[in-house]
Amino acid sequence: MRKLEKKIALITGASSGIGKAMAIAFAREGALSIVVDIHEQGVKDVVDAIVSEGNNAWAEVCDVGQALEVRQTVARVIAEFGAIDILVNNAGIMDDFMPAADVEVQQWHHVMNVNLHGAYYFCHEILPAMVERGKGNILNISSVGGIQGSRAGAAYTAAKHGLIGLTKNIAFMYVGKGIRCNAIAPGGVNTNIGAGMHPNAFGYERMMTGMATMPRMAAPEEIAAAALFLVSDDGSFVNGEVLVADGGWTAY
Ligand code: NAP
């Protein structure tokens, strides 16, 4: 028996990197992966790749930072498939390593909107249906920047810390409703997240002081393997936890 047989798993930011690896890995374990991203061609390509392996996937284009789009996406998926068993809030963007004095209001809000508010929007829309069914599983992709102070700029660091707070609050609030909520805090992972960045020189220099202690970069599939543990019954007694997957970087 595969680990996610007949589960419906919605993964945001799933046309690239860690999200794509999770969508593929979950579908290989029997889930229907709902591939959500802002990139229309990207979600189609990931769905095609999953279906070409003989597994199940569905494409949804959605900007996670837009509450209305999130509401419409969740409604469409529930109307089409009846339920969402697993929600992975993975969509995220970097912040150019902007320190607090330099980050402009617009960039602050954009990073918060995608990295934190988007997760709240999806949880807010999906939780009532999970409560009604008496089961559900939520996984938030935070970062080592969500537990330490200088892995990124001010906005990313604050958003990823906030995501861990949201994770623990949901985990405890809904513990009697059959719902688990956990987070993963990855270290460096080889993805497209750094493409197009314009690093702030001071913020980048401060961030780099800790980089020598990073053992190596991960492949996205290594984070997907940790995610599979948390969203499957293998992790049945794990709730409100932050699983650090960083190769030992923060152990220093
Ligand atoms: P990625 O390769 O850039 O994938 C993220 C995907 O989300 C991209 O397709 C991205 O599109 C999309 N996205 C951005 N804004 C969105 C929005 N508003 N609505 C829907 N989708 C949106 O990045 P990744 O490295 O796999 O990151 C996945 C998660 O892991 C993020 O939350 C990130 O913070 C976290 N993480 C990553 C690392 C790392 O080293 N890679 C480390 C720790 C934590 P665009 O390409 O247009 O932005």
Side-chain angles (χ1 to χ4, degrees), residues 159-175:
K160 292 298 188 179
H161 274 70
L163 195 51
I164 288 175
L166 179 67
T167 302
K168 291 183 179 180
N169 182 265
I170 289 173
F172 196 77
M173 287 283 177
Y174 297 97
V175 72

Side-chain angles (χ1 to χ4, degrees), residues 13-19 36-39 62-65 90-93 114-115 141-144 156 160 186-193 217:
S15 82
S16 173
I18 297 168
V36 178
D37 202 288
I38 33 171
H39 298 291
C62 173
D63 178 345
V64 304
N90 166 76
I93 53 173
V114 177
N115 291 8
I141 304 303
S142 180
S143 166
V144 290
Y156 185 93
K160 292 298 188 179
V189 187
N190 275 315
T191 69
N192 295 323
I193 200 162
M217 299 286 281

Side-chain angles (χ1 to χ4, degrees), residues 50-136:
I50 291 172
V51 170
S52 73
E53 291 186 343
N55 297 318
N56 298 315
W58 176 267
E60 284 287 341
V61 179
C62 173
D63 178 345
V64 304
Q66 301 293 329
L68 182 60
E69 281 189 40
V70 172
R71 175 171 298 177
Q72 290 166 341
T73 300
V74 170
R76 246 190 332 269
V77 172
I78 291 182
E80 188 71 28
F81 301 107
I84 294 167
D85 297 293
I86 296 163
L87 163 66
V88 184
N89 290 304
N90 166 76
I93 53 173
M94 282 297 292
D95 66 352
D96 297 330
F97 306 105
M98 286 287 178
D102 294 335
V103 60
E104 298 294 346
V105 170
Q106 196 184 356
Q107 186 179 21
W108 174 273
H109 282 284
H110 183 48
V111 172
M112 283 290 167
N113 218 27
V114 177
N115 291 8
L116 181 58
H117 300 168
Y120 152 67
Y121 296 148
F122 266 99
C123 292
H124 180 71
E125 293 303 323
I126 289 177
L127 271 165
M130 288 182 168
V131 168
E132 198 177 305
R133 297 174 76 220
K135 59 181 177 178

